[in-house]
Amino acid sequence: MAHDDALRLKQALERTTRAQQLASDPATSAWVSANAGTGKTYVLTTRVLRLLLAGTRPERILALTFTKAAAAEMSKRVFDRLGTWVTAAPETLAKLLTEVLGRAPNEMEQVRARQLFASAIETPGGLKVQTIHGFCERLLKRFPLEAGIPPHFTILDEATSSALLREAIDQTLTAAVADRSAPLGRALGVAITFAADDSFDDVLRDALRQRRWLADLAKLDGDDAAAVLYRRVMGLPKELDLARAERAMAAVLDDAMLARAVAVLAAGKPSDQKLGFAFSGALTATDTQGRALALQRALLTQDDEPRSDKAFITKDVRSAESALTEKLITARDVFPALLEQRQTLIALEATTSLVTLAQAVMSGYQAAKARRAALDFDDLIAKCASLLGQIAEEGAASATQWVLFKLDGGLDHILVDEAQDTSPEQWSVISSLAAEFFSDSAGRDAVRTLFAVGDEKQSIYGFQGAAPEMFKAMGDKFQGDAKSVGQPLARVPLNVSFRTTAPVLSAVDQVFADTTRIAGVSADGAIEHIAFRAGHAGTVEVWPTEKPIDPVETETWEPNSEQPVASAVVRLADRIAGTIQGWLTRGEMLASEGRPIRPSDVLVLVRRRKPFAPAMVAALKAR
């Protein structure tokens, strides 16, 4: 490794150590933006340990993680460290605490370190490391009446929730088919024209995931309130409907002008004759819609862009028929705006129809849950956010803290892991919990802090409502709140990866160097990864994709000549398995270990198991 690279890595490690110490400082709120492999869990665990060493009671710490597995892992790490401190020799304990604190521990801290394991276990409520869904469930079980839910509610698992939703969908579609003239039936008739067969179910389920939006639309007054709202957003005049839009499109050229254009263009060059034929289709159309669509084909390209002057009318016709040319060019230029109105109206009709169906399904689904006195995971967040929001509206900000005091004696420190996967409603819960941390009324001796760690680039739970762009937005909000009351909130970047080699990280940086590719990543400045494993081997290859191959049709009476065609999935699996077999056969060297590759060195990572994983396993077993 070159001297400059070694120096750069040394400086980066020093910055990382200082950043980790700042991020885990129990006296300072922190907002940590961390690349993959930079020690997020280590920082989170260290912060919990330092809070405990500083004298914070375990029950006044709330650490929120995204999954139960992450909560279990973090809890295990904390208790493993606490358990080690109990039995460590004095010299060893002092060394371990120095690593955590960044300085030599005092005598009180060493005594407290040996007591923390028992304290964390014996304290009522204990150390709370849990998912946000688990926290909301516990809160709602203490305040069910205030939240407007049955006192002995149950939680639906994903399988039961999916089955109830499927039942609600089937009931809604059955009712829609039974009466096609009713609003539900008309909505189904419109929706299926845009999403037939299997795609209809996918589109409907996508709409059902927007539960909060559907609920807000249902609160509007009037049967067509949603359509009115969408019209306003889409910029459509109140009186404009699809029929009027098509009449406007059809009227850009009257019959006399169309007839004149057909006659003139028929005598022109081949391109003029082709245009004239298109205009004749508009002239002979039997209805307004047919005429409008024929004019669209004549005046616009396949991409619905106005035809260029050169490709529209030849120079000879322009010279001989200037008045006609001017009329046709005017029609061509105004037509795109009219077409856009028609397409917007179609989108409006499709959207409102889908909303009607989705609201009916959601109503049936909510009724099914009510009969069982059950909540699903989304309900836990929504009901908890509503409860805390209602308390804040009805009383002082301290009312929320009163609820938390009744729950566990209150909170002084909130830690949020994988914050990039937090949804807007989950952020509203966190904001309510931390509201008093940054208020003038929070005049208490105890320090109260908020900590969050995340990375927008790693957000993978968009289907669960995650809003990665809110990580930075909420950091800005809380930083402003803290500044307004003179409290510190540090923005801490972590970019030294202890997990991945430099070639892999360089490839990632090269991809994100093009700012047009990071529109969905709200990172401040350039994205940079620094590899701790400097000098370690690695390579990144981008293979050409396997595309589907259409089978060659054979004569019906020659079935034996038919050649089967492997799917793209199977061909890719065979390529990967063949590559691995080649490595093992020729003794390909694993540069990082200085030995030939073994089967146990190989990992095949997939985005989802189906349809690729079964084919991959079969290809590997075949070899």
Side-chain angles (χ1 to χ4, degrees), residues 553-563:
E553 294 186 4
T554 59
E555 298 295 344
T556 307
W557 56 83
E558 295 181 339
N560 292 334
S561 64
E562 187 171 315
Q563 297 294 323

Side-chain angles (χ1 to χ4, degrees), residues 255-274:
D255 287 349
M257 190 58 63
L258 279 174
R260 176 64 180 164
V262 170
V264 169
L265 293 170
K269 294 182 178 180
S271 60
D272 292 323
Q273 294 172 11
K274 185 177 179 181

Side-chain angles (χ1 to χ4, degrees), residues 290-338:
R291 179 174 176 133
L293 296 179
L295 284 170
Q296 177 182 344
R297 291 189 292 270
L299 298 171
L300 307 182
T301 66
Q302 290 184 345
D303 296 328
D304 290 332
E305 296 292 333
R307 295 188 183 278
S308 65
D309 289 345
K310 183 177 180 180
F312 189 44
I313 302 173
T314 62
K315 185 177 180 180
D316 292 343
V317 174
R318 287 171 179 271
S319 300
E321 297 285 344
S322 59
L324 173 64
T325 299
E326 184 179 349
K327 291 286 187 181
L328 295 180
I329 290 177
T330 300
R332 178 202 64 181
D333 293 342
V334 303
F335 202 85
L338 299 175

Side-chain angles (χ1 to χ4, degrees), residues 514-558:
D514 184 352
T515 56
T516 62
R517 294 172 177 165
I518 60 174
V521 180
S522 58
D524 293 321
I527 295 174
E528 180 187 20
H529 296 78
I530 300 174
F532 173 76
R533 295 170 59 187
H536 286 210
T539 185
V540 175
E541 295 181 357
V542 180
W543 287 7
T545 57
E546 293 284 353
K547 297 180 174 59
I549 299 176
D550 295 328
V552 178
E553 294 186 4
T554 59
E555 298 295 344
T556 307
W557 56 83
E558 295 181 339

Side-chain angles (χ1 to χ4, degrees), residues 264-392:
V264 169
L265 293 170
K269 294 182 178 180
S271 60
D272 292 323
Q273 294 172 11
K274 185 177 179 181
L275 180 61
F277 181 76
F279 280 132
S280 68
L283 186 61
T284 58
T286 57
D287 58 26
T288 303
Q289 185 183 68
R291 179 174 176 133
L293 296 179
L295 284 170
Q296 177 182 344
R297 291 189 292 270
L299 298 171
L300 307 182
T301 66
Q302 290 184 345
D303 296 328
D304 290 332
E305 296 292 333
R307 295 188 183 278
S308 65
D309 289 345
K310 183 177 180 180
F312 189 44
I313 302 173
T314 62
K315 185 177 180 180
D316 292 343
V317 174
R318 287 171 179 271
S319 300
E321 297 285 344
S322 59
L324 173 64
T325 299
E326 184 179 349
K327 291 286 187 181
L328 295 180
I329 290 177
T330 300
R332 178 202 64 181
D333 293 342
V334 303
F335 202 85
L338 299 175
L339 176 62
E340 184 179 357
Q341 277 195 334
R342 178 179 184 271
Q343 292 171 328
T344 305
L345 284 165
I346 292 173
L348 170 68
E349 188 177 21
T351 301
T352 53
S353 298
L354 185 60
V355 166
T356 298
L357 292 170
Q359 286 180 326
V361 172
M362 191 55 63
S363 178
Y365 178 57
Q366 300 289 14
K369 289 189 295 181
R371 288 193 295 270
R372 291 167 173 76
L375 302 178
D376 61 20
F377 291 129
D378 289 340
D379 291 329
L380 291 174
I381 302 297
K383 294 294 184 182
C384 189
S386 178
L387 171 63
L388 295 175
Q390 176 184 340
I391 292 171

Side-chain angles (χ1 to χ4, degrees), residues 45 70-80 127 129:
T45 303
E73 172 64 20
M74 182 180 166
S75 183
K76 179 179 182 300
R77 289 196 187 193
V78 170
F79 279 99
D80 282 349
L127 181 63
V129 181

